[in-house]
Amino acid sequence: MTAGPGTRLLVLSAPGPEKLAELARDTAARLARPGGPALSEVCARAAEGPHSTHRLSVTGRTADEIATRLDAHLAGETVREVHTGVAEDVPRVAFLVSGLGAQFAGMGLGLYRAERVYRETFDRCAEAARPFVSVPLQRLLRPDAEARQVHRSAHAALGTFCVSTALAELWRSRGVEPAAVLGFGSGEYAAAVCAGALPMEDAVRLLGTEITLAERVTDGAMALVALDEHAALDVLADFEPTVGIAAVVSPGEVTLSGRATTLARITDRLTAAGIRVGRLPVPAGLHSPLQEPALGELATAARGVRAHAPRVPLVSTVTGRPLAAGELTPAYWRRHMRGPVRFLDAIRAVDAMGIRACLELGPGRALVGLGARCLPGGGRIWPASLGRSTDGTATLLNAHGRLYTAGVPVHRSLVAVGARPAP
C-alpha cells in the first residue's frame, strides 16, 4: 500500500466527454512512445490553464504506468487511480478530522520528509505536546515504531492531532479552504484549531489533559455494535450503568464503552442474538461513565483556554450541529469527554449545509467510510489524505486529483509532492 517516491499527478480537461477521451488517448500514446517527453514535463504542461469543465486526473510513478492506466480507463475498466468529473460549479469542501484509533506506525512519513509546510506544522504541534508524552511524537512516524508507543492513548491522540493539523495547513497551501470542519472524538481539538476557534497550544494542552485523565481508567473496554441508538439504549437498560454509548457512528452502528466486565456480558448477549459486535483495543473506556470522576479536573483546565468564535463553521460531534460563538466553554469540554460522539448527526448537518465534498484529515480513511454509510447515494466525494500508506504522497495526489475533477479550485501546478505553487 506504500507508493514509492516520484508519484505524479496528471490532470486533463476538455469541453466535452468525447474531446476529453481523445485528449487522454493522445496523452497516453505520447507517454508510451519511446524517447517521448519526460513525465514531469507532460504533467506540468497539462496543468497549465485555462481548464474546461470535463476533467480527468490520474496518478502514477512512471510514464508507462500512467499510460497504462489511461488506456485501461478508456477501455472501460475501473482504475482507482483515475477520476473523472464535470466541474460545472465550485463545490465546497468539509474537512473531517480523524480521532484516536486512526494512528499507525509510519503514518505520513513521506509527507513529513517532502513537504516543508507539513513538517513545520507537525513539529510545532509535537513540541507543544511534549509534557504529555514519553517519546517525541516524530518517533511514531517511523515504520518500525513500537506498537506500545504508537497505540498508547496519549501518543495516539496527540500524534493524530499533529498529523491532522499538518494536513490542514498542507491542503490550505494547495488552495483548499474548508467550508466546514468536523472532528471525531479527540479530533474535535484539531478541528477547533483548523476552524480558528482554539489556538494550537491551548488545544494541545486541553487534549493532553483530557487524554491523560482518561488513561487513569484501566478496567475499561469499547466495542462497535450493529444497533441504532434507541435499540442500544434499550439493551443498556438491563445492565448496571457502568457502560454507555460512546459514539453514534452511522444509522445502524454505535460504540459502547465502559467497564470491561459489564461490556463483556452485554456483547455476549448481543452475539448470541446474532448482532454483529467488534471489540476495540482501547482499555481507557473513552466517552463512558467511567470518565465522570475526571470531568471536574478537565473543566478546571478548560477555564484557562482562550476560545474564539469559529472563523470557519465548526460542526460539533458533541451537539451534532454547527457551534455558535461562546459555546466552547468548560461545560462543553466536559460533555466532550463524557460523550457520546454524535458523528451521525454532525455529518448530516454538514450535508444540510450543501457540502458535497468531504476530505479526511488524518491517518486512514475511517471517517470518509463512515460518512459514505451515513449519506448513501451519488453526488458526493469522499477522498482521504493519507489512507494507510506510510508514504502518503500517492494518496494525497489522488485526493488532489479527485478535488480537481469535482471543480474544487486546487493549485493545478502542484503535480508532485514537494512542489511549490506556480507564481
Side-chain angles (χ1 to χ4, degrees), residues 333-366:
W333 295 112
R334 283 176 60 108
R335 289 181 63 190
H336 177 271
M337 185 174 187
R338 175 59 180 83
V341 176
R342 296 201 165 276
F343 178 79
L344 174 60
D345 292 338
I347 197 67
R348 285 173 170 170
V350 168
D351 195 59
M353 297 167 68
I355 295 172
R356 298 294 180 263
C358 293
L359 173 67
E360 183 157 358
L361 270 57
R365 54 183 76 246

Side-chain angles (χ1 to χ4, degrees), residues 169-322:
E169 291 304 305
L170 180 58
W171 279 114
R172 281 174 157 150
S173 76
R174 287 178 166 259
V176 182
E177 286 289 339
V181 187
L182 178 159
F184 189 102
S186 64
E188 185 107 359
Y189 289 98
V193 174
C194 183
L198 287 181
M200 182 273 289
E201 293 80 5
D202 283 358
V204 168
R205 185 167 65 251
L206 196 53
L207 172 58
T209 300
E210 178 178 322
I211 205 67
T212 300
L213 292 170
E215 283 186 316
R216 293 178 182 173
V217 174
T218 58
D219 60 344
M222 302 180 74
L224 181 68
V225 301
L227 293 173
D228 64 28
E229 183 176 6
H230 297 296
L233 288 172
D234 287 343
V235 170
L236 292 174
D238 293 337
F239 295 85
E240 58 268 27
T242 58
V243 172
I245 296 176
V248 182
V249 297
S250 76
E253 291 176 307
V254 299
T255 301
L256 302 182
S257 180
R259 183 154 293 133
T261 53
T262 307
L263 183 60
R265 290 163 50 214
I266 294 170
T267 54
D268 285 348
R269 177 191 287 189
L270 295 176
T271 301
I275 296 170
R276 177 170 48 85
V277 172
R279 299 184 184 276
L280 304 176
V282 184
L286 301 174
H287 304 296
S288 82
L290 302 184
Q291 300 298 339
E292 290 178 0
L295 299 183
E297 291 180 73
L298 180 65
T300 298
R303 292 189 188 104
V305 167
R306 301 161 290 165
H308 309 288
R311 294 193 299 270
V312 175
L314 177 59
V315 181
S316 167
T317 52
V318 175
T319 66
R321 55 174 173 74

